[in-house]
Amino acid sequence: MAYAKLFDSSKCIACRGCQKACKNWNQDPAEKTTNRGTHQNPPDLSHQTRTVVRFKEQEGGDLGIIWTFFKDSCRHCIEPACKMIADGTDEQAVVITDTGAVIYNERTAKVEGMNCGYNIPKQEKDGAPYVKCTLCFDRITNGLQPACVTTCPTGALEFGKREDIVKLALQRVEEAKKRYPDAHISSDYKEVNYIQVFHYKEDMFEMYADREKQQKIKMASRRDLLNPKKAAGMISKLLG
Amino acid sequence: MTNHWIDFANSDVVLVMGSNAAENHPISFKWVTKAMEKGGKLISVDPRFTKTSAKADIYARLRSGTDIPFLGGMIKYILDNDLIDKFYVQNYTNASFLINKDFKFEDGLFSGYNEEKRSYDKATWAYQKDANGVIMKDPSMQDPNCVYQLLKKHYSRYDIDKVVEVTGTTKDELLKVYKTYTSTSGPAKSGTILYAMGWTQHTVGTQNIRTMSMIQTLLGNMGVAGGGVNALRGESNVQGSTDYGLLFHILPGYLKFPLGSQATLADFLKATTPTTAEPQSLNWWSNTPKYMVSLLKAFYGEAATKENDFGYGWLPKGDVGANYSWLNLFDQMSKGKFTGFFAWGMNPACSSANAGKVRKALGELDWLVNVNLFPNETGQFWKGPGMDPSKIKTAVFMLPCAASVEKEGSVSNSGRWAQWRYKAANPPGEAMPDAEIIEGLVHRVKELYKKEGGAFPAPILSLAWDYEENGHLSVRKIAREINGYYTQDVPGADGAVFKKGSQLANFVGLKDDGTTACGNWLYSGSYPEAGNMMMRRDNNDASGIGLYSNWSWCWPLNRRIIYNRASVDLDGNPRRPELPVIKWDGAKWVGDIADNAAPPMSDKEKGKLPFIMTSEGVAKLFGPGLAEGPFPEHYEPLECPVENNAFSSQRINPTVKLFNEKGEGEGKDVYLTCDPRYPFVCSTYRVVEHWQTGLMTRWNKQLVELAPQNFVEMSKELAALKGIKNGEMVTIKSPRGQIDAVAMVTSRFKPFTVKGQTVHQVGTTWHFGWCAPVNGGDTANLLTPTVGDANTMIPESKAFMVNIERKG
């Protein structure tokens, strides 16, 4: 069964319960952080932080200020670029499951030229395994929801069958439009299992994802499937 | 709260003012979000654009400390545009009541002010009464001395231009808020207010809330689904702590604290039991004698007899006119008036206003017992910043206690629901539940009195203390005593007998003759013979409006929306049939538990008015109970950026207590207003990641990861003015102390234009302390002034003056 997860920015209050629920379930340690003049912490995803709520504030909009929150984590692509790259080294390093979850394991440590248009996979240091969200594969295959979804108080995060989540997302867009005329679904929603609804024109997704880069990685990977070194070289060339 | 969390989903307009609910009460947004999904509007009013504002339909900023002008302007808007709920105001409020002709208001002062005592003689703040003591009324509300006309006159001064000038809000924003909120007038719609410390922590805190209560009353929003006045409590069980009389001025169940002038039980009951001559007023507090005697029976058991006034003489009494609140206690402590102090589940070295004063005061004690989960800034004050341990005489004892999940008991949430919680784990090491620590103390103190006698041993030796069950202290046994039981066989109806020792069904059975004992009348009904109602977990909702009446238990009598008789017409029919709270079916009320079983108002003989807790039976638009006056009036914060109050020549609340010291410096009780050295308004607040002084969160690495250091939010304009860059360390100074914090430069703060002048406001949190985490910073309460609301003494932590500089 293919599942999907939805993030609806119109309902997110940035309580960051999802961030902590994720660390709690995955037993990921806390990072040492400082306040850098923003409420966002840790500053980015890391091998210890599989999801982070990003804060962005801009002037404008009906209220004078647009303050948006975006829960960034693996999109669980239906055709993941990382999988294409990894297959060049080891077809078992990145696994697509029938739940829709894209799963990494220890073998990603050896993958050459790992890349992602969303900048998701992180490693502790060169040669260490890559770490990212598992879509709580171990929970969802045991009848539970992902930890982040369970903890969300407002319904900003939802989880379910992919077709239901797509339907819900489109319905959420229509609901959000009553309040926010620019509400829209993330432009990649047909390609991923982590779908977003954004309530402002400024697309948070666009800020943290480079779809063009993602396509280039995929193209390069396809062309040089059997030669990972060449593929990696091609990718860096393509990306300049 | 008059209503409850789930009920927010029933609102057509949710006003969040004096609160940042999305940040500090995230679960509230489960229900606010539901209201919005149904088309409800969310209004956020705050000096700073918050997470709540980010979700709002309307956002309006105001300078901290100007809520009364903001809301007073709304009262004027309602009256000018005739937007009152006429039926409601005429029938369920005191709008038509006539007030003493000598009652006056002139230049910021009501009649009866005594400048020397900084208090009022309230003699003229009274109703005109006829020979039978019945209040005189003018149903046409035209008499110049009727409440409605006096109200109109008082708020005629709050015209929009003046309001805008004082609050710094734009006229456009202000009108948007007024228009949207007042759209809830009448039965067809309801509006709710969610407030928290943003309203209470001012020298006019109580009056802030009263102003909104008046608006809710004028619009007919009290007692209805999706309405009410709802305090979002800052601690999971703070509602319970006030219900149980943890504050200095009340006993359990909000019975009054006895005074030295009330020598006998009869004196006390005479002074504290209100009477009424109003024909349809129930005057619930007329039951005071039953509740008080039953409480004394719970305190002293068989030792309490009719002959000895049920032990009333053993109760401690307050001095007339004295105030035993927090600020006064620590003031006395700083003057060496205390030998010992139990800091129980508290961290005053960080939580108290002017914490520097408290840290010094702790050094005046002979001993300090710190009961807490972790060592904290209070228990370790002697080795804190600027302290010389060799010069401090205080002996400090640390008693580790169990956390909430390591013990069993009830927790009362903001919506008055008492929910039973079970023990999930054993406390670590020597830590014990608080109740067991108290029990150990009681037994040892009793033992000492028995052995050594003492000045007045009777109150201690007579104390009934029998909470053991199977060799352990049982909180269930305490809960049964709170509910109340019969102290002897009592005949019931139809020859039945209530057996001695059996549980009362609820407070209706309480007596003033010593035949019943009850630890807290408000909670009577929570543990009847049928068992512990607080343990109920039935999540079916028969009401259709989210009452969930069989989930846990709520005071009083499991009534989920109080004053619900105001939601029906005179015949008992819901004024809003699609959201019915209660309905009279001809013989009884159905729906929520009605505010008393009496028939509706149209029954002239037995029918009762809806506001049963007031002696008038109605909501009081004219409310003579508070220190400052019967109508809320604007006074500036003690420290403020303006030299004059635009509404009168009284700059500050004329009834606040002033703690004045000469000079300036750390922990001193000094105030500076309009002083160029402290030009910026400052507020303190909280973030979702930390809790209170951070004792339960600052040691948690996962939470510290999210919020590692204290910060100060400021506008881009102020940062430019002071040459401050985002993310750099700055020093915030007040006349009483200073702290370092990381600058967070944001467009969410904007300078205000107040009387043509630019006023900057900044904000910081009070979560941190020097113990942990490393580089976290110290509490913002080192900056706040020792001054409290004139009624509650809650400190003014939301509006005081500071300076801010790059850390040099």
Side-chain angles (χ1 to χ4, degrees):
Chain A
M1 164 106 55
Y3 293 102
K5 192 162 74 178
L6 167 69
F7 170 75
D8 179 349
S9 73
S10 74
K11 294 189 199 301
C12 176
I13 54 171
C15 71
R16 301 194 283 180
C18 52
Q19 242 179 273
K20 287 296 111 174
C22 176
K23 288 215 170 188
N24 186 37
W25 181 254
N26 290 300
Q27 298 287 293
D28 288 332
E31 295 185 37
K32 273 214 159 69
T33 57
T34 57
N35 188 313
R36 296 154 293 113
T38 167
H39 289 288
Q40 185 184 315
N41 246 328
D44 200 357
L45 298 171
S46 77
H47 70 286
Q48 295 174 329
T49 302
R50 296 160 200 256
T51 187
V52 68
V53 176
R54 299 188 187 277
F55 289 61
K56 185 173 165 63
E57 100 190 25
Q58 315 158 71
E59 303 202 13
D62 289 348
L63 305 179
I65 294 155
I66 303 170
W67 198 18
T68 40
F69 318 115
F70 169 52
K71 180 194 178 294
D72 198 3
S73 60
C74 176
R75 306 302 193 279
H76 296 280
C77 301
I78 292 165
E79 257 191 2
C82 62
K83 164 78 177 154
M84 291 180 179
I85 294 167
D87 282 355
T89 312
D90 177 353
E91 289 192 7
Q92 299 304 311
V94 173
V95 183
I96 302 174
T97 70
D98 58 6
T99 58
V102 177
I103 307 288
Y104 288 5
N105 55 43
E106 293 288 310
R107 296 161 83 149
T108 56
K110 294 213 166 68
V111 170
E112 290 186 44
M114 179 58 103
N115 218 318
C116 165
Y118 303 94
N119 281 322
I120 299 297
K122 301 286 174 194
Q123 54 185 165
E124 186 178 1
K125 54 182 186 229
D126 275 354
Y130 286 91
V131 181
K132 68 164 193 71
C133 162
T134 66
L135 199 62
C136 278
F137 181 72
D138 44 355
R139 291 173 61 92
I140 63 174
T141 50
N142 283 289
L144 297 171
Q145 298 222 318
C148 58
V149 176
T150 306
T151 204
C152 180
T154 58
L157 287 171
E158 301 280 359
F159 175 80
K161 281 191 219 166
R162 190 174 196 286
E163 60 198 74
D164 293 344
I165 288 294
V166 170
K167 233 182 269 171
L168 178 64
L170 294 168
Q171 195 185 315
R172 287 280 183 94
V173 170
E174 290 315 305
E175 277 171 28
K177 270 187 179 163
K178 292 180 198 158
R179 204 168 242 110
Y180 312 104
D182 294 323
H184 61 283
I185 193 166
S186 46
S187 49
D188 62 351
Y189 81 96
K190 287 182 180 157
E191 297 154 29
V192 297
N193 290 322
Y194 177 35
I195 295 166
Q196 294 101 36
V197 168
F198 294 106
H199 63 295
Y200 284 111
K201 201 170 187 174
E202 173 71 35
D203 191 340
M204 299 295 289
F205 165 80
E206 302 292 345
M207 292 166 46
Y208 298 108
D210 186 340
R211 294 196 64 216
E212 206 181 326
K213 174 178 162 188
Q214 182 80 344
Q215 292 311 323
K216 284 177 183 170
I217 295 167
K218 283 189 191 177
M219 272 166 54
S221 305
R222 274 197 197 101
R223 219 177 299 162
D224 296 291
L225 257 184
L226 298 175
N227 190 341
K229 278 208 176 111
K230 212 170 153 196
M234 180 68 86
I235 289 163
S236 39
K237 207 169 143 194
L238 269 169
L239 299 176
Chain B
M1 285 187 197
T2 57
N3 295 41
H4 59 100
W5 296 100
I6 296 171
D7 186 58
F8 303 163
N10 290 321
S11 295
D12 295 288
V13 182
V14 178
L15 171 61
V16 184
M17 185 169 172
S19 151
N20 178 8
E23 177 90 46
N24 295 312
H25 300 87
I27 295 297
S28 70
F29 259 66
K30 184 185 183 83
W31 309 109
V32 173
T33 304
K34 285 196 193 302
M36 294 174 78
E37 283 166 2
K38 291 189 270 185
K41 296 271 183 251
L42 172 65
I43 305 174
S44 162
V45 180
D46 200 294
R48 169 184 61 137
F49 188 95
T50 64
K51 286 181 184 173
T52 306
S53 318
K55 299 289 121 183
D57 294 285
I58 299 170
Y59 166 66
R61 71 186 78 238
L62 84 172
R63 170 171 63 96
S64 192
T66 61
D67 302 77
I68 290 174
F70 193 104
L71 297 174
M74 178 145 34
I75 293 181
K76 181 172 159 57
Y77 181 88
I78 293 168
L79 299 177
D80 285 356
N81 296 292
D82 203 18
L83 295 170
I84 62 169
D85 180 336
K86 283 195 191 69
F87 167 84
Y88 195 101
V89 168
Q90 275 175 335
N91 288 285
Y92 299 155
T93 78
N94 65 0
S96 63
F97 292 21
L98 301 189
I99 301 299
N100 187 316
K101 286 178 183 156
D102 295 330
F103 168 76
K104 281 199 174 53
F105 175 79
E106 272 170 68
D107 191 24
L109 290 174
F110 294 90
S111 39
Y113 185 61
N114 181 323
E115 198 174 345
E116 203 182 310
K117 291 185 181 164
R118 297 187 63 78
S119 69
Y120 281 98
D121 172 354
K122 300 179 186 174
T124 58
W125 308 359
Y127 301 119
Q128 295 181 32
K129 290 183 178 174
D130 68 13
N132 298 318
V134 177
I135 300 163
M136 291 166 66
K137 302 168 187 90
D138 172 19
S140 74
M141 304 198 298
Q142 294 304 313
D143 189 301
N145 287 310
C146 84
V147 169
Y148 182 78
Q149 293 300 331
L150 292 171
L151 182 79
K152 213 168 177 173
K153 191 171 151 199
H154 190 85
Y155 290 101
S156 64
R157 301 153 50 241
Y158 287 70
D159 65 89
I160 194 143
D161 292 320
K162 195 181 245 184
V163 170
V164 163
E165 184 185 292
V166 173
T167 61
T169 316
T170 68
K171 203 168 176 172
D172 181 46
E173 284 167 357
L174 201 62
L175 283 170
K176 245 192 241 172
V177 174
Y178 290 175
K179 196 173 168 212
T180 305
Y181 198 75
T182 58
S183 72
T184 65
S185 181
K189 281 187 170 187
S190 57
T192 189
I193 167 67
L194 316 188
Y195 77 92
M197 297 297 152
W199 267 359
T200 59
Q201 292 176 347
H202 291 280
T203 40
V204 292
T206 315
Q207 295 283 19
N208 283 339
I209 298 152
R210 209 185 118 60
T211 320
M212 191 65 208
S213 306
M214 290 162 66
I215 290 173
Q216 289 296 70
T217 306
L218 290 167
L219 300 177
N221 279 333
M222 295 297 284
V224 305
V229 173
N230 298 306
L232 310 185
R233 300 298 217 139
E235 293 166 318
S236 57
N237 202 12
V238 77
Q239 181 64 50
S241 74
T242 50
D243 295 342
Y244 284 98
L246 205 70
L247 297 171
F248 70 94
H249 67 304
I250 44 174
L251 295 174
Y254 302 93
L255 293 166
K256 299 231 165 41
F257 181 60
L259 300 177
S261 58
Q262 298 151 359
T264 65
L265 179 60
D267 294 339
F268 170 82
L269 295 177
K270 187 160 185 265
T272 62
T273 310
T275 56
T276 185
E278 296 307 299
Q280 286 191 294
S281 173
L282 195 60
N283 186 25
W284 194 259
W285 281 113
S286 65
N287 293 305
T288 300
K290 298 172 192 170
Y291 304 156
M292 184 65 180
V293 171
S294 298
L295 177 65
L296 289 166
K297 283 299 284 181
F299 281 168
Y300 301 118
E302 300 206 338
T305 62
K306 197 163 186 194
E307 291 65 40
N308 70 4
D309 251 3
F310 299 105
Y312 171 80
W314 296 328
L315 288 181
K317 315 280 188 304
D319 285 343
V320 177
N323 179 295
Y324 302 94
S325 68
W326 183 281
L327 297 181
N328 286 316
L329 292 184
F330 284 98
D331 190 56
Q332 294 293 303
M333 192 189 290
S334 72
K335 291 170 180 155
K337 300 283 175 66
F338 286 94
T339 38
F341 170 47
F342 278 86
W344 206 306
M346 297 257 168
N347 189 15
C350 285
S351 66
S352 183
N354 199 0
K357 174 178 176 177
V358 168
R359 291 176 184 186
K360 279 190 201 156
L362 296 171
E364 299 295 323
L365 295 164
D366 290 345
W367 54 266
L368 159 66
V369 180
N370 191 35
V371 190
N372 219 306
L373 301 184
F374 302 105
N376 58 8
E377 287 77 8
T378 300
Q380 302 184 84
F381 79 95
W382 48 275
K383 57 175 177 179
M387 294 286 176
D388 178 354
S390 70
K391 294 199 175 119
I392 289 167
K393 61 168 179 168
T394 316
V396 181
F397 305 87
M398 171 79 195
L399 299 184
C401 60
S404 62
V405 293
E406 294 161 353
K407 59 189 177 189
E408 183 183 36
S410 71
V411 168
S412 299
N413 75 8
S414 306
R416 298 168 285 107
W417 294 17
Q419 308 193 78
W420 200 261
R421 291 190 186 173
Y422 302 88
K423 179 176 161 178
N426 286 320
E430 295 179 308
M432 286 164 71
D434 300 289
E436 288 180 28
I437 299 176
I438 293 170
E439 177 167 75
L441 275 170
V442 169
H443 286 320
R444 283 167 179 79
V445 171
K446 274 194 164 198
E447 213 43 53
L448 276 175
Y449 268 104
K450 224 181 263 170
K451 226 189 284 170
E452 300 174 7
F456 189 28
I460 305 295
L461 293 178
S462 308
L463 193 63
W465 197 277
D466 175 24
Y467 301 122
E468 257 187 41
E469 214 164 42
N470 308 321
H472 291 283
L473 175 124
S474 161
V475 288
R476 298 189 188 198
K477 209 166 172 187
I478 298 172
R480 287 199 290 273
E481 179 185 276
I482 285 166
N483 176 83
Y485 57 89
Y486 292 94
T487 62
Q488 59 189 67
D489 289 358
V490 171
D494 306 327
V497 175
F498 297 111
K499 283 288 193 198
K500 175 181 176 177
S502 65
Q503 294 294 99
L504 278 146
N506 55 52
F507 53 62
V508 176
L510 291 174
K511 295 271 179 8
D512 62 1
D513 59 4
T515 57
T516 56
C518 176
N520 186 346
W521 73 273
L522 266 187
Y523 281 79
S524 189
S526 62
Y527 209 141
E529 279 296 307
N532 189 339
M533 297 290 121
M534 299 174 279
M535 290 177 176
R536 296 186 303 174
R537 293 293 183 272
D538 179 348
N539 61 2
N540 290 303
D541 178 36
S543 72
I545 58 165
L547 299 180
Y548 293 92
S549 302
N550 294 319
W551 180 279
S552 74
W553 183 88
C554 133
W555 69 256
L557 295 175
N558 205 30
R559 181 175 300 138
R560 305 283 159 143
I561 296 178
I562 54 181
Y563 300 124
N564 54 27
R565 289 169 68 106
S567 70
V568 297
D569 63 19
L570 300 181
D571 295 321
N573 294 313
R575 295 182 69 215
R576 189 178 186 183
E578 64 278 18
L579 281 183
V581 185
I582 56 168
K583 183 180 164 56
W584 181 253
D585 74 359
K588 61 177 189 312
W589 294 99
V590 293
D592 194 11
I593 309 293
D595 247 335
N596 195 256
M601 292 277 296
S602 57
D603 183 334
K604 289 285 175 210
E605 212 174 297
K606 294 188 199 138
K608 294 293 175 198
L609 285 156
F611 289 86
I612 62 171
M613 301 313 285
T614 68
S615 59
E616 300 91 328
V618 294
K620 292 188 271 198
L621 291 166
F622 181 94
L626 299 186
E628 300 88 351
F631 293 129
E633 171 67 9
H634 174 61
Y635 304 106
E636 288 288 336
L638 180 64
E639 287 188 335
C640 69
V642 297
E643 284 185 27
N644 298 305
N645 176 357
F647 288 89
S648 73
S649 53
Q650 298 296 321
R651 191 181 65 82
I652 62 164
N653 181 340
T655 56
V656 288
K657 176 180 167 131
L658 297 172
F659 299 78
N660 269 327
E661 273 183 284
K662 287 209 162 43
E664 200 171 325
E666 202 175 299
K668 281 203 164 196
D669 278 326
V670 286
Y671 321 117
L672 292 170
T673 208
C674 291
D675 185 308
R677 289 173 296 167
Y678 302 101
F680 310 127
V681 180
C682 185
S683 269
T684 65
Y685 41 73
R686 308 195 305 181
V687 293
V688 64
E689 293 83 9
H690 287 292
W691 195 74
Q692 312 293 59
T693 69
L695 267 191
M696 293 190 352
T697 52
R698 280 193 271 132
W699 302 97
N700 182 325
K701 286 180 184 162
Q702 290 287 349
L703 294 171
V704 169
E705 176 196 68
L706 294 173
Q709 288 174 295
N710 196 19
F711 57 86
V712 53
E713 289 176 303
M714 68 187 80
S715 69
K716 289 177 175 169
E717 293 82 351
L718 177 59
L721 187 74
K722 302 295 285 185
I724 293 167
K725 285 191 205 71
N726 188 39
E728 74 178 347
M729 199 57 93
V730 295
T731 302
I732 320 168
K733 275 187 196 172
S734 87
R736 296 156 295 274
Q738 65 177 63
I739 58 166
D740 293 339
V742 177
M744 209 181 271
V745 180
T746 170
S747 5
R748 293 177 296 103
F749 258 128
K750 287 254 178 260
F752 295 99
T753 304
V754 176
K755 288 185 172 178
Q757 302 286 311
T758 301
V759 172
H760 293 281
Q761 184 164 351
V762 300
T764 183
T765 85
W766 56 282
H767 291 305
F768 290 86
W770 57 267
C771 282
V774 180
N775 299 326
D778 212 336
T779 178
N781 273 318
L782 291 167
L783 309 171
T784 51
T786 309
V787 69
D789 170 273
N791 302 281
T792 63
M793 291 297 280
I794 292 179
E796 190 159 57
S797 319
K798 286 289 186 271
F800 55 95
M801 301 302 287
V802 299
N803 193 13
I804 192 157
E805 298 284 358
R806 295 177 66 181
K807 191 167 157 55

